[in-house]
Amino acid sequence: MKINKMLVGLLTSVALGGGVAHAAELAMVSGDTGTGLEFLRGQLDRFEEETGHTVTIVPMPSSTSDQFGQYRLWLAAGNSDIDVYQTDVIWAPQLADQFLDLSEAAADVVDDHFPSIIESQTVDGKLVALPAFTDAPALYYRTDLLEKYGKEVPQTWAELEETAMEIMEGEREEGNQDMWGFVFQGNSYEGLTCNALEWVASHGGGQIVEADGTISINNPQAIEAVEQAAGWVGTIAPEGVLGYMEEESRGVWQLGNAVFMRNWPYAYALGNSDGSAIAGDFDVAPLPAGSGEEGRSAATLGGWNVAVSKYSPDPEAAIELAMFLSSADVQKERAINQSNLPTIESLYDDAEIAEAQPIIPNWKEIFQNAVPRPSAPTQSNYNEVSSMFWGAVHETLSGNGTAAENLELLELDLADIKGDSW
């Protein structure tokens, strides 16, 4: 016979007050980039020691698109084997009905987090996930190579193209035939939506679907942005970039074979780790701006959260785990060890974080340039919208049609999905 929620709550209160009265066996799903799973396991070991609960990690593919598909299958089936889900910032509107409301549990700490992030995880007044860390990508650049060739950090995509080509050709002439100018995430998955949204928004081409639900992607600035990116493939970027996700990009970069890389904060600590060919020889800056009057730097808002399944047989213990993983102590440890950006604003002024990861306080500028993906206006249709967008962009990058042709078709497809309203 299952313990009802009220009794579980009482038992958990006793446990927190002194001595574990009910030791739960929890399962948590999580994807991985870099050393993410290894770090998470260390955090969970501490949670187990403090609470008496046990937590099993169910590893997921690194592709966020694959993760989301699996989550949706499990939740639709009412799977009670998984208690806690690690969720992308964009998934809240789509999975809200399957997660518990954490508003009451987090009432005393919710104001510590950036309001925009709490807002992104709130659906119809229900806080469906607690922030674990936030994300905004940056332009990684080789400080040693820019100094060697007398170049400044590029402020525009056009400057990046020019600098990347010059340094790439120079290094190849000196013997490194594996050197490329720029690596990014060009595979057909959510990561390409993030990259391409940055290209489009940086040119003043909008956010695919605007906040009011208007489909905006078929415009001259967006076309120019995607066409420009298509010109990178096979010139400053390898043909293989069409299959790159985050780790493939980082692999090329960390071996010392790229001048520039677009990636998330996690790659910073790894780039400076023991054995890295580029340790101490790189830095980060805001992503380049597009051309034209509306040109600006744009970085896709990312981040990961922890949500509790409404099918969990141990909801109070699962909420305890979610609270732990979003706490200031754990976020601080994550920032120091993983270079992940905290969602708790006060941690950006923490001296120990600044000493261990001096870049994190400076990431505020990058974070301020963040643009959200259109998950809020498109709601449950977001996954299909994103898939169609990255598909159209990937076709263009692959040379299958022009940006103008593919974005026009995309606009028609999105209109079919939208119908009278999203």
Side-chain angles (χ1 to χ4, degrees), residues 3 5 11-12 40 72 78-79 118 144 149 172 187 207 264 266 286 294 337 352 364-365 382 391 394 405 409 411 421:
I3 302 171
K5 289 185 179 180
L11 290 173
T12 303
L40 176 60
R72 193 156 59 173
N79 187 336
I118 293 295
D144 57 336
Y149 288 85
R172 288 186 176 191
N187 204 343
Q207 294 171 230
W264 304 93
Y266 87 97
E294 298 182 68
N337 289 285
E352 290 178 324
K364 264 188 173 179
E365 180 186 357
Y382 173 75
H394 196 270
E405 292 165 344
L409 291 172
E411 180 183 38
S421 66

Side-chain angles (χ1 to χ4, degrees), residues 186-260:
N187 204 343
S188 290
Y189 78 120
E190 185 67 26
L192 181 53
T193 287
C194 295
N195 280 253
L197 175 59
E198 290 155 7
W199 307 333
V200 170
S202 72
H203 281 75
Q207 294 171 230
I208 310 168
V209 177
E210 302 309 305
D212 64 0
T214 303
I215 298 167
S216 62
I217 188 57
N218 185 20
N219 66 76
Q221 295 97 318
I223 291 168
E224 179 186 354
V226 176
E227 201 64 48
Q228 180 181 38
W232 302 336
V233 180
T235 56
I236 60 172
E239 295 278 355
V241 78
L242 295 171
Y244 284 9
M245 295 192 287
E246 283 80 2
E247 285 294 85
E248 289 82 5
S249 304
R250 184 177 70 85
V252 174
W253 163 259
Q254 202 160 313
L255 286 172
N257 292 329
V259 184
F260 298 106

Side-chain angles (χ1 to χ4, degrees), residues 171-395:
E171 290 300 291
R172 288 186 176 191
E173 287 174 7
E174 293 187 10
N176 185 1
Q177 296 302 313
D178 295 324
M179 177 61 75
W180 289 98
F182 181 43
V183 290
F184 56 93
Q185 295 77 53
N187 204 343
S188 290
Y189 78 120
E190 185 67 26
L192 181 53
T193 287
C194 295
N195 280 253
L197 175 59
E198 290 155 7
W199 307 333
V200 170
S202 72
H203 281 75
Q207 294 171 230
I208 310 168
V209 177
E210 302 309 305
D212 64 0
T214 303
I215 298 167
S216 62
I217 188 57
N218 185 20
N219 66 76
Q221 295 97 318
I223 291 168
E224 179 186 354
V226 176
E227 201 64 48
Q228 180 181 38
W232 302 336
V233 180
T235 56
I236 60 172
E239 295 278 355
V241 78
L242 295 171
Y244 284 9
M245 295 192 287
E246 283 80 2
E247 285 294 85
E248 289 82 5
S249 304
R250 184 177 70 85
V252 174
W253 163 259
Q254 202 160 313
L255 286 172
N257 292 329
V259 184
F260 298 106
M261 173 182 70
R262 179 269 185 204
N263 218 325
W264 304 93
Y266 87 97
Y268 188 86
L270 293 170
N272 280 320
S273 62
D274 293 341
S276 169
I278 55 168
D281 287 333
F282 72 93
D283 208 339
V284 296
L287 289 165
S291 61
E293 294 182 2
E294 298 182 68
R296 66 180 183 92
S297 175
T300 300
L301 178 65
W304 288 85
N305 310 277
V306 280
V308 176
S309 170
K310 73 176 186 180
Y311 309 110
S312 169
D314 288 290
E316 296 297 335
I319 290 173
E320 220 182 317
L321 175 57
M323 291 287 291
F324 171 82
L325 291 173
S326 66
S327 68
D329 284 349
V330 170
Q331 289 208 18
K332 179 175 178 176
E333 184 183 353
R334 182 178 280 281
I336 289 172
N337 289 285
Q338 298 292 102
S339 67
N340 288 140
L341 302 181
T343 68
I344 296 173
E345 198 163 0
S346 62
L347 291 179
Y348 286 83
D349 301 318
D350 186 285
E352 290 178 324
I353 291 177
E355 182 179 359
Q357 300 288 356
I359 195 60
I360 282 183
N362 299 330
W363 218 287
K364 264 188 173 179
E365 180 186 357
I366 296 167
F367 185 59
Q368 287 162 353
N369 292 325
V371 293
R373 283 163 279 177
S375 57
T378 59
Q379 300 179 53
S380 62
N381 295 299
Y382 173 75
N383 205 46
E384 192 173 4
V385 169
S386 181
S387 177
M388 287 185 169
F389 176 61
W390 85 55
V393 173
H394 196 270
E395 285 290 289

